[in-house]
Amino acid sequence: MPAIRIALPATLRSLLARGAGSAMVSGFLLVAMLTMVGKIVSFAKDAVVAAKLGTADELDAFMLVFGFFSFACTVLAGGLPESFVPAYAELRERRGQRRADRLGVQCAAWHFAALLVCGLALSLGAPWIVAWATKGFDPAKQALSVKLLHSLLPFLLCFGLAHHLSAWLRAGKTFLLAASAPMLVPLGIVIAMLIAGDQVNAWTLVTGTVWGAVAHVAVLLIALARRLPRSARWWRCCLRHWEPGLRTVLRNALPFLLGGVAFGSAVVVDQTMAAWLTAGSVAVLSYSDKVCAIVLAVTAGPASDVLFPHFAELVARRDWAGLRKRLFASAGIIVSAALPMTLILCFMAPWIVSTLFERGAFGPQDTQRVAEVLRFAAFQIPFYILGTVAARVAVSLQASRFMLMISFSALVLNASLNWLLMRHLGAAGIALSTVIVHFLCASATCVICLIVIRRKEAS
């Protein structure tokens, strides 16, 4: 029988031939491994939380508030940090490392100021925000949510700033610390619960979250401070002379920020609408998302972290053909790896949920509820990965107007599909809505990237 030969693209053959010797492949493997370790720590935390609190009301309140702050950090990370990386790569390519680092310091200061303003707004509006978002909560549960929101403000500042510092490290292709430091937050929660013993409650989770976030940002600050110039003259220059590229970063940050508000709000919209369903639905949806997150952690997360600086460099060098080839090759490899994991999650959902969470207050009935939602949620994985990789290309191309249109369209579609499907499927309908939205957004983003690249080549 004649041998079957499969023709692979030249870029894909090159990556596979070099394997871990390729900077991109080795970077992906490193980030994937460290992210997996971080997810193991996070799942250990979730297992302990499930055993102690199950789907209790106070856990519902904590997860809702934590979702608000995670959303705020993600939204702001979609502004300055996203627009910073392409500008940093171009400035380093044209003017040198010190000028690029000066831009990094000034962008970090602006990002921290934005976090302060956001934190103040959330603190002042806490009673109204919680009252609107928790229509299914009783008054006592709403009051607890307001108190938790105020107590988690330090988490917003520290974890939000860590987003920018991590983007800075990754822009310099320093992936080790950027990938490993986030595990300090779940590790802090685990330590706090171990100290609390049998007295674990929502305030235990708050304490561990805040101190974990402080440790996270402190480690990143120390790492960056060690690589920056130590001369007082350079630091005075950073404070007195604004880098001209900062204007470009700030100008491009607003569209990405608005797009992040729209697209990133899907989590908050999902949790808010889940709060309108039966008790425990917010926690059920959250547990389902956590299971999907382990696959995304070793595919979409590492891929976007490692590929983003490579995409930005290709754009800075105006290598449009190389950019297109790298997009196709990377997306093909990652999606091919994710499909088997998606099917495993779908068919083995009850066993996976039972193994991870069923102990203590988390019983068989909770396992069944989470597994039903997970069977739908698992199918978002390949579309999420493809959309994440394509979005990094769009950001590198500074295609902010197109991304803004896609993000707001996704927001409207997500809320509409949630309302339609949750009436018949409950929390599983919200998960199915997420799958449909990710499929449409990934397809639209890929098409837009190819159109912009073609226009760049023609100009």
Side-chain angles (χ1 to χ4, degrees):
M1 178 182 292
I4 299 175
R5 304 187 66 180
I6 300 175
L8 297 175
T11 306
L12 181 55
R13 288 201 308 270
S14 176
L15 284 174
L16 293 175
R18 286 180 290 167
S22 164
M24 188 171 68
V25 174
S26 60
F28 172 80
L29 294 174
L30 174 65
V31 175
M33 180 183 67
L34 291 174
T35 307
M36 175 62 77
V37 173
K39 286 299 176 183
I40 291 173
V41 175
S42 182
F43 265 94
K45 178 263 297 182
D46 291 334
V48 177
V49 171
K52 297 290 185 180
L53 299 175
T55 56
D57 282 353
E58 59 182 328
L59 181 60
D60 245 9
F62 173 81
M63 285 186 168
L64 185 69
V65 174
F66 185 83
F68 275 133
F69 282 116
S70 298
F71 164 69
C73 292
T74 302
V75 165
L76 292 176
L80 274 174
E82 291 289 307
S83 61
F84 162 73
V85 173
Y88 180 89
E90 184 169 0
L91 188 61
R92 184 180 57 191
E93 184 79 17
R94 299 177 182 276
R95 304 301 297 272
Q97 186 66 49
R98 288 204 168 191
R99 290 286 297 273
D101 285 335
R102 186 171 78 175
L103 177 65
V105 170
Q106 294 172 359
C107 285
W110 274 90
H111 189 62
F112 188 72
L115 289 166
L116 283 174
V117 172
C118 181
L120 181 62
L122 286 173
S123 179
L124 294 176
W128 296 277
I129 295 172
V130 170
W132 171 80
T134 59
K135 294 180 180 179
F137 288 5
D138 58 47
K141 196 171 174 181
Q142 288 183 336
L144 175 62
S145 298
V146 172
K147 293 179 181 178
L148 292 174
L149 193 149
H150 286 125
S151 300
L152 280 171
L153 282 175
F155 166 76
L156 172 68
L157 300 178
C158 294
F159 196 68
L161 182 59
H163 271 288
H164 177 79
L165 301 181
S166 297
W168 189 353
L169 286 170
R170 289 192 297 267
K173 298 181 182 176
T174 303
F175 302 114
L176 177 61
L177 196 58
S180 58
M183 72 178 69
L184 291 173
V185 176
L187 187 61
I189 296 175
V190 171
I191 293 173
M193 288 190 292
L194 291 175
I195 294 174
D198 294 331
Q199 305 300 318
V200 172
N201 54 33
W203 298 107
T204 307
L205 304 182
V206 169
T207 301
T209 300
V210 169
W211 283 109
V214 170
H216 182 193
V217 76
V219 167
L220 298 180
L221 283 170
I222 293 171
L224 282 168
R226 294 180 63 182
R227 55 183 282 183
L228 293 175
R230 299 185 180 182
S231 66
R233 182 171 177 269
W234 186 84
W235 284 98
R236 283 196 302 268
C237 183
C238 284
L239 297 175
R240 295 178 181 177
H241 303 288
W242 292 106
E243 179 61 46
L246 181 62
R247 294 181 180 178
T248 303
V249 173
L250 295 176
R251 183 173 64 250
N252 291 329
L254 182 59
F256 289 128
L257 180 64
L258 294 175
V261 170
F263 192 77
S265 63
V267 175
V268 175
V269 169
D270 289 349
Q271 290 186 338
T272 299
M273 299 184 79
W276 303 348
L277 299 171
T278 57
S281 293
V282 175
V284 167
L285 190 64
S286 178
Y287 283 127
S288 172
D289 290 339
K290 289 177 186 298
V291 176
C292 292
I294 194 169
V295 178
L296 297 176
V298 296
T299 51
S304 62
D305 290 347
V306 174
L307 290 171
F308 195 13
H310 288 279
F311 290 149
E313 283 187 357
L314 290 170
V315 172
R317 295 199 299 263
R318 310 295 192 264
D319 185 2
W320 310 121
L323 181 63
R324 184 193 295 107
K325 290 179 180 178
R326 183 154 291 181
L327 169 62
F328 282 141
S330 303
I333 294 173
I334 298 168
V335 172
S336 297
L339 283 174
M341 289 184 267
T342 300
L343 296 176
I344 290 173
L345 281 181
C346 180
F347 290 111
M348 302 184 65
W351 180 83
I352 292 172
V353 175
S354 176
T355 302
L356 292 174
F357 301 120
E358 191 176 319
R359 56 186 59 84
F362 195 103
Q365 185 176 2
D366 297 318
T367 296
Q368 182 180 357
R369 292 181 65 187
V370 175
E372 289 175 355
V373 177
L374 179 59
R375 284 196 174 101
F376 287 92
F379 286 97
Q380 71 180 281
I381 291 171
F383 308 126
Y384 184 96
I385 297 169
L386 182 59
T388 300
V389 173
R392 286 295 180 263
V393 178
V395 171
S396 300
L397 292 167
Q398 298 293 321
S400 55
R401 180 168 59 90
F402 297 108
M403 295 302 297
L404 191 61
M405 292 170 54
I406 291 175
S407 298
F408 275 99
S409 298
L411 174 63
V412 175
L413 183 62
N414 182 60
S416 301
L417 289 175
N418 280 353
W419 177 255
L420 177 65
L421 297 174
M422 66 186 276
R423 298 170 64 185
H424 304 285
L425 299 173
I430 296 177
L432 179 58
S433 169
T434 302
V435 174
I436 297 172
V437 170
H438 279 309
F439 167 72
L440 295 175
C441 288
S443 302
T445 306
C446 288
V447 171
I448 286 173
C449 287
L450 294 175
I451 291 174
V452 174
I453 292 173
R454 190 178 299 114
R455 288 179 180 175
K456 297 283 188 182
E457 287 178 321
S459 62

